[in-house]
Amino acid sequence: MHRTEPGLVETGSPAHHWRVQAHLPVDYQVEMTSGVLDPSNLALLEAGATVRADRLRRFVVVDATVYDLYGDNLRKYLDHHNVEYSICVLPASEEAKTMESVFTVVNRLDAFGISRRHEPVIAIGGGIVLDIVGLVSSLYRRSTPYVRVPTSLVGLVDAGVGIKTGVNHGFHKNRLGSYFAPAVVLLDRDFLATLDDRHVSNGLAEILKIALIKDARLFQLLEDHADLLLAERLTGQTQTGDAVAGEVFSRAVGGMLEELQPNLWEKQLERVVDYGHSFSPTLEMRALPALLHGEAVTIDMALTTVLAEARGLVSARDRQRIFHLMTKLRLPTWHPLLEADLLDHALQETVRHRDGLQRMPIPLGIGAACFLNDLTATELANAAQTLRDLHHPSVAAVATDSRPDPVA
Amino acid sequence: MHRTEPGLVETGSPAHHWRVQAHLPVDYQVEMTSGVLDPSNLALLEAGATVRADRLRRFVVVDATVYDLYGDNLRKYLDHHNVEYSICVLPASEEAKTMESVFTVVNRLDAFGISRRHEPVIAIGGGIVLDIVGLVSSLYRRSTPYVRVPTSLVGLVDAGVGIKTGVNHGFHKNRLGSYFAPAVVLLDRDFLATLDDRHVSNGLAEILKIALIKDARLFQLLEDHADLLLAERLTGQTQTGDAVAGEVFSRAVGGMLEELQPNLWEKQLERVVDYGHSFSPTLEMRALPALLHGEAVTIDMALTTVLAEARGLVSARDRQRIFHLMTKLRLPTWHPLLEADLLDHALQETVRHRDGLQRMPIPLGIGAACFLNDLTATELANAAQTLRDLHHPSVAAVATDSRPDPVA
C-alpha cells in the first residue's frame, strides 16, 4: 500500500487549501487460551486493561444461549476476582442483529458507567453478539475498547478474529457497521463442548473455506479426521483429537489473519477470504432463518466449485473430494432457493459491493484460488442445475432417461 | 506517537498467539472555494470522485434551512451537469440529531443506491447535519466516502473541518459517533450571506476560542474589526472586509487543523481545542434549546477566563479585553443555569471523559494556554459568582453596599 507521511500541508497566503494526512495505528492480540472462565486463568481479567485499579469494574455482554450454559461460571469468575460488574444478556439470532440491540447495550452501558479507557467492554458469545458489541464499542463515545471472547466455532475462526462489526438493516445483511479492532481476542476451544452439532458444522464451513483457497494441508487434516473432529467438537478429548484440533485451529486462525492483516479495511477488493461469500449473503437473508451462515457459505462454495470444474480449474476428482468432505462435515451442498433470479440478483449485489467487477474468488484445485470477472448468467444457471442434479441424482437420471432418444 | 510496523507476528508451534498490527491511512483535503453552487465551479462535482462516469450520480443531504435558501441553486447546479441525483432534506436541530435521522438518511440511500466507492455522499449544511451524515457515511456498508460542505460559520471553522461524527442519545450529547474523515471539505464563505446574526456570532465563538488559546494576532483582528466582520457576515463586501475575513478564516481553519492533525483520534487527552468545552456540553444539553453551541462555549470560556484571572494567569486588563470582545461579538458571558451543582456535575463528566484527570485547558493571557488538574469546587463556585456579578454589576454593587461594614 502506498504510504503517505502524516502531516498538514498548507497552500496559499493566506492559506486557502490544506491537506490533512495521518495514520490510525491498530494493534491487537489474538490469543488461544483454555478455561477462560476458570478463576485461575487471568487472561479475561487482564485483557485490554492498561491500568491496575483497586477494584476492577467490567461491563460484560453475553449471548443468551451462552449465558444459560456459562452464566454461573462467569459470575463466579468475576466474584472470585472481586470485580464490580454488570452483565447484559443479548438474544443471538440474525433477526435480533439490529440497531435495537445496539441501543439495548448502549443504554445498559450508560446505566453502568465505565471509565472508557481502562474498563474494556467484554463480549462473550457467537459471531452475532460479537458483531453487535463491536458496533456498540465503536460508536460509544466514538470508541471504547472491547475484548472478544468467541464461543461458537464460526466466532473462533472467523467472525471473532477480524475487526468488522455490524448489524442488519432493512433486509440487508450487515448494512450498518464499522471496522473497529478489539483490544484482545481470547480463543477458548472449551466452549465448543456445549455447541450443538449443527453449529460445529457451521464453523467447519469457514475452516473449509480457508483450506480450499490456501491450505491443502488443512484440507487433508479435515479429510483425514472429519469424524474425529466432529465427535470431539474440536475440544480434543483424545491425544490425536487434541493434536489435530490444535493444528486445525492454528492453521485456520493463522491463515485467516494472514489474509486480513494487510487488508483490514478491505481497500483491496480482491479477497480470497470472500470465497463462499459471493452468493451466500443473498441466499442467507432470503432463507432466514433456515440457513446458518456457514451453511449458506458452503452452498456458495459448492456452486462455485462446480463452476470451477466446468472451467477446468478444479478436476472432477477434486470436486468429488470437496463435495465428499462437505457432506462428511454435515454441510449442505444445495438449496431450493438457488434459482437463476436469486443468483442474478446476488451477483449484481456482489458486483456493486466489489465496485463494478465480479472479483469472484474461485478455487484452483484444492489449496489455491484465483479471481474471475467474466462469469455469465448462463454459466451460473448451468452450475445451479449441475448442483441440483448432484443433489438429486436419481431425478436427474430419470429426467435423462425420459428424454426421447434422438437416434431411435 | 510511537509507530509500530504493520505485520502479523505469530508465536508458538503450532501458533497459538498472534499480534496484528496495521495503519489506517487517512488523507483529506480542506479547500476554500467561492460560489460552490455556481455551475462554473466544478469543485462540488469533482470532490471525492475518483472515476469519471458517463453520467454522474449523487446522493445529497441538505439541511432544511439551507434547502429553503439554496435548494433551487443546488438543483440547477446538478441539472446543469446532467447529474442523476436524490436530495434528502434533514431538519437541523439538536433535538433532531438522533439515530432516527441517521436511519432516515440510510433508508433514502438504500432506495437511491450508490456505487459506494465513486459516488460520494454530499452533505450540505450546518454542523448538526454534517455530524449526522458523517455518521451515516461511516456506518453505511462500514464506510462510504462523503464530502462536507459546511454552510454555518461553526461548520466552516470547526465542526466541518475535523473527522468527528455523532448524534445525541439519551440526553447525552454525541454519545454515539465515530471518527471518520471526509474525502473533501469545501469551505464557501458565501453561504454566510444568508446566516442570521445569532448564528454568525455562534461561529465567531469558535474562532475566538482559537484566538484565545493560540493566536494573539487573530484576537487582534477580531478586536479591531468585530463590527465590520459582523456587518459583512465575513463574506467580504468591502476590500478591507474581504481581506480581514479571509485572514480570519485562514487563521481559524489553519489553527484548528494544526491542532487536529496530530491528534485526529483524540488519543492525546490534553487538547487546547477543548477550551470552552469543559462545562459547555452539560450546560448546552440542560439549556436545550435555549443556547446555541457557540453560546454555551462562550459562557464556558467566560467562566474559565475568570478562573484564570483568579489564578493570576490572565491579567484584569486581558480579562476585560476578552469580555469586551465577547460582548462586541454579541455572545453571552453568563447563564442562570451556571450554578454549583451543574458545574460540579459537568466537571465530573469532563474528568470521566478525560480519563480521570481534569486536563482543563485554561488561557495564559491572550493567545496561549495551559492545562489545570487541580481545580476545586470552591474555585468554580467563586468564578460562577464573579461571572454573575460581572453580568449584573448593579445587583452586585447593591449586595456589596448592603453588607454590614466591618469597620463601622
Side-chain angles (χ1 to χ4, degrees):
Chain A
M1 188 186 300
H2 175 66
R3 291 278 296 276
T4 49
E5 278 315 300
L8 176 68
V9 179
E10 290 200 342
T11 316
S13 175
H16 55 77
H17 185 186
W18 297 264
R19 183 170 180 186
V20 184
Q21 292 173 294
H23 295 134
L24 174 66
V26 162
D27 188 346
Y28 69 99
Q29 316 270 337
V30 179
E31 205 178 320
M32 295 195 64
T33 186
S34 149
V36 76
L37 296 181
D38 179 329
S40 69
N41 185 336
L42 298 182
L44 187 62
L45 212 63
E46 290 171 350
T50 49
V51 168
R52 186 78 202 170
D54 287 343
R55 188 175 181 197
L56 295 183
R57 298 181 84 246
R58 288 293 183 273
F59 183 80
V60 189
V61 187
V62 190
D63 197 306
T65 314
V66 174
Y67 187 73
D68 284 346
L69 294 162
Y70 298 96
D72 283 348
N73 293 1
L74 174 62
R75 287 186 182 280
K76 275 181 205 151
Y77 181 89
L78 296 167
D79 287 335
H80 178 89
H81 292 291
N82 190 31
V83 178
E84 182 191 344
Y85 60 86
S86 173
I87 297 178
C88 173
V89 180
L90 272 196
S93 67
E94 282 291 335
E95 293 89 339
K97 196 179 171 187
T98 62
M99 282 302 294
E100 274 312 307
S101 295
V102 168
F103 296 149
T104 300
V105 181
V106 163
N107 295 341
R108 288 286 306 273
L109 198 43
D110 267 338
F112 182 65
I114 53 160
S115 162
R116 194 166 59 94
R117 286 164 201 262
H118 306 299
E119 296 171 0
V121 170
I122 294 174
I124 306 178
I128 290 169
V129 164
L130 300 186
D131 275 6
I132 296 169
V133 180
L135 184 51
V136 169
S137 301
S138 73
L139 290 175
Y140 197 73
R141 296 188 159 207
R142 294 200 186 93
S143 72
T144 295
Y146 72 117
V147 173
R148 285 183 172 177
V149 185
T151 57
S152 69
L153 188 47
V154 170
L156 281 157
V157 298
D158 186 274
V161 302
I163 72 167
K164 283 157 82 167
T165 82
V167 296
N168 304 328
H169 184 81
F171 302 105
H172 298 283
K173 201 166 152 59
N174 295 322
R175 179 53 48 109
L176 301 178
S178 59
Y179 298 95
F180 188 62
V184 174
V185 185
L186 295 175
L187 304 180
D188 183 356
R189 282 194 273 138
D190 297 351
F191 283 113
L192 301 176
T194 49
L195 198 64
D196 66 70
D197 287 353
R198 190 174 168 201
H199 281 87
V200 173
S201 295
N202 187 44
L204 282 163
E206 296 285 359
I207 298 179
L208 176 59
K209 177 188 78 176
I210 294 291
L212 287 174
I213 53 164
K214 66 175 292 182
D215 192 341
R217 158 86 186 151
L218 181 56
F219 187 90
Q220 189 72 57
L221 281 168
L222 293 175
E223 205 173 37
D224 292 347
H225 305 281
D227 293 337
L228 184 62
L229 289 167
L230 286 168
E232 297 188 356
R233 289 180 159 61
L234 293 85
T235 54
Q237 301 302 305
T238 59
Q239 209 176 343
T240 310
D242 196 46
V244 171
E247 189 178 349
V248 164
F249 250 90
S250 180
R251 288 188 166 271
V253 172
M256 188 70 187
L257 290 176
E258 266 171 34
E259 298 301 319
L260 292 183
Q261 185 278 328
N263 195 21
L264 277 180
W265 294 273
E266 301 178 313
K267 307 262 183 204
Q268 169 61 254
L269 296 174
E270 273 154 7
R271 305 168 67 239
V272 289
V273 290
D274 265 351
Y275 183 52
H277 294 69
S278 302
F279 303 99
S280 62
T282 302
L283 178 61
E284 189 182 348
M285 287 306 273
R286 292 255 185 109
L288 264 184
L291 287 176
L292 296 179
H293 179 71
E295 293 168 347
V297 166
T298 307
I299 293 166
D300 182 314
M301 296 194 296
L303 179 77
T304 42
T305 296
V306 164
L307 266 172
E309 187 191 359
R311 288 220 179 184
L313 302 173
V314 167
S315 68
R317 160 104 187 88
D318 279 348
R319 195 259 300 150
Q320 279 161 3
R321 280 180 73 195
I322 294 168
F323 273 61
H324 185 65
L325 180 53
M326 285 171 171
T327 306
K328 234 174 146 183
L329 296 175
R330 299 183 303 226
L331 287 162
T333 55
W334 181 71
H335 191 277
L337 278 175
L338 222 58
E339 298 280 353
D341 67 324
L342 180 141
L343 294 173
D344 289 351
H345 176 76
L347 185 59
Q348 247 179 332
E349 282 291 295
T350 289
V351 165
R352 192 157 76 175
H353 195 63
R354 296 184 189 148
D355 196 24
L357 287 176
Q358 295 177 352
R359 306 176 209 267
M360 180 81 59
I362 208 111
L364 267 181
I366 288 170
C370 65
F371 293 90
L372 296 185
N373 285 309
D374 58 351
L375 208 60
T376 66
T378 313
E379 230 178 331
L380 263 180
N382 289 344
Q385 186 56 47
T386 307
L387 214 59
R388 180 188 300 267
D389 295 347
L390 286 167
H391 193 260
H392 299 292
S394 56
V395 179
V398 170
T400 308
D401 288 350
S402 64
R403 233 186 297 166
D405 187 346
V407 176
Chain B
M1 191 186 302
H2 175 66
R3 290 280 294 278
T4 50
E5 279 317 300
L8 175 68
V9 179
E10 291 200 341
T11 315
S13 174
H16 55 78
H17 185 185
W18 297 264
R19 183 170 178 185
V20 183
Q21 292 175 293
H23 293 136
L24 173 67
V26 162
D27 187 346
Y28 68 99
Q29 315 271 338
V30 179
E31 206 179 318
M32 294 195 65
T33 186
S34 147
V36 76
L37 296 180
D38 180 329
S40 69
N41 184 337
L42 298 182
L44 187 61
L45 212 61
E46 291 171 352
T50 48
V51 169
R52 186 76 202 171
D54 287 344
R55 189 175 181 198
L56 295 184
R57 298 181 84 248
R58 289 292 183 274
F59 183 79
V60 190
V61 187
V62 190
D63 196 304
T65 314
V66 175
Y67 188 74
D68 285 345
L69 293 163
Y70 299 95
D72 284 348
N73 293 1
L74 174 62
R75 288 188 180 276
K76 275 183 205 153
Y77 181 89
L78 295 168
D79 287 336
H80 178 88
H81 292 291
N82 190 31
V83 178
E84 183 191 343
Y85 59 86
S86 172
I87 297 178
C88 173
V89 179
L90 273 195
S93 67
E94 282 291 333
E95 292 90 339
K97 195 178 172 189
T98 62
M99 281 302 294
E100 275 312 306
S101 295
V102 168
F103 296 150
T104 301
V105 180
V106 163
N107 295 340
R108 287 286 307 273
L109 198 44
D110 267 338
F112 182 65
I114 54 160
S115 161
R116 194 167 59 96
R117 285 164 202 262
H118 305 298
E119 298 171 359
V121 169
I122 295 173
I124 307 178
I128 290 169
V129 164
L130 301 186
D131 275 4
I132 295 170
V133 179
L135 184 52
V136 168
S137 301
S138 72
L139 289 176
Y140 196 73
R141 297 187 158 209
R142 295 200 187 92
S143 72
T144 296
Y146 72 116
V147 173
R148 285 183 170 177
V149 185
T151 56
S152 68
L153 188 48
V154 170
L156 282 157
V157 299
D158 186 275
V161 303
I163 71 166
K164 283 158 82 168
T165 81
V167 296
N168 304 328
H169 184 81
F171 303 107
H172 297 285
K173 201 165 152 61
N174 295 321
R175 178 54 49 108
L176 300 177
S178 58
Y179 296 95
F180 189 63
V184 175
V185 184
L186 296 175
L187 304 179
D188 183 356
R189 281 195 275 139
D190 297 351
F191 284 112
L192 301 176
T194 49
L195 197 65
D196 65 69
D197 286 354
R198 192 176 166 200
H199 281 86
V200 172
S201 295
N202 186 45
L204 283 163
E206 295 285 359
I207 299 179
L208 175 60
K209 176 189 77 177
I210 294 290
L212 286 175
I213 53 164
K214 66 175 290 181
D215 192 341
R217 159 85 185 154
L218 181 56
F219 188 91
Q220 189 72 57
L221 281 168
L222 293 174
E223 205 173 38
D224 292 348
H225 304 282
D227 293 337
L228 184 63
L229 289 167
L230 286 168
E232 297 188 356
R233 292 179 156 59
L234 292 87
T235 56
Q237 301 302 305
T238 58
Q239 208 175 342
T240 310
D242 195 46
V244 171
E247 189 178 350
V248 163
F249 251 89
S250 180
R251 287 187 165 273
V253 172
M256 188 71 186
L257 290 176
E258 267 171 31
E259 298 301 319
L260 292 183
Q261 185 279 328
N263 195 22
L264 277 179
W265 292 273
E266 299 178 316
K267 307 262 184 203
Q268 168 61 253
L269 296 173
E270 273 155 5
R271 305 167 66 238
V272 289
V273 289
D274 265 353
Y275 183 52
H277 294 69
S278 303
F279 304 98
S280 60
T282 302
L283 177 62
E284 189 181 348
M285 288 305 274
R286 293 255 184 110
L288 265 182
L291 286 176
L292 296 179
H293 178 71
E295 292 169 347
V297 167
T298 307
I299 292 165
D300 182 315
M301 297 194 294
L303 178 77
T304 43
T305 296
V306 164
L307 267 172
E309 187 191 358
R311 288 221 177 182
L313 303 173
V314 167
S315 68
R317 160 103 188 88
D318 279 348
R319 193 262 299 153
Q320 279 162 2
R321 278 179 73 195
I322 294 167
F323 273 61
H324 184 64
L325 179 52
M326 286 172 171
T327 307
K328 234 174 144 182
L329 296 176
R330 298 182 303 226
L331 287 162
T333 55
W334 182 72
H335 191 276
L337 280 175
L338 221 59
E339 298 280 352
D341 67 323
L342 180 143
L343 294 173
D344 288 351
H345 175 77
L347 185 60
Q348 249 179 330
E349 282 290 295
T350 290
V351 164
R352 192 156 76 175
H353 195 64
R354 296 183 190 148
D355 194 24
L357 287 177
Q358 296 178 350
R359 305 175 210 265
M360 180 81 59
I362 207 109
L364 267 180
I366 287 170
C370 64
F371 293 90
L372 296 185
N373 286 308
D374 58 351
L375 208 60
T376 65
T378 313
E379 232 179 327
L380 263 179
N382 289 344
Q385 185 57 47
T386 307
L387 215 58
R388 182 188 298 269
D389 294 348
L390 285 167
H391 193 260
H392 299 291
S394 55
V395 179
V398 171
T400 307
D401 287 352
S402 64
R403 234 186 296 166
D405 188 345
V407 177

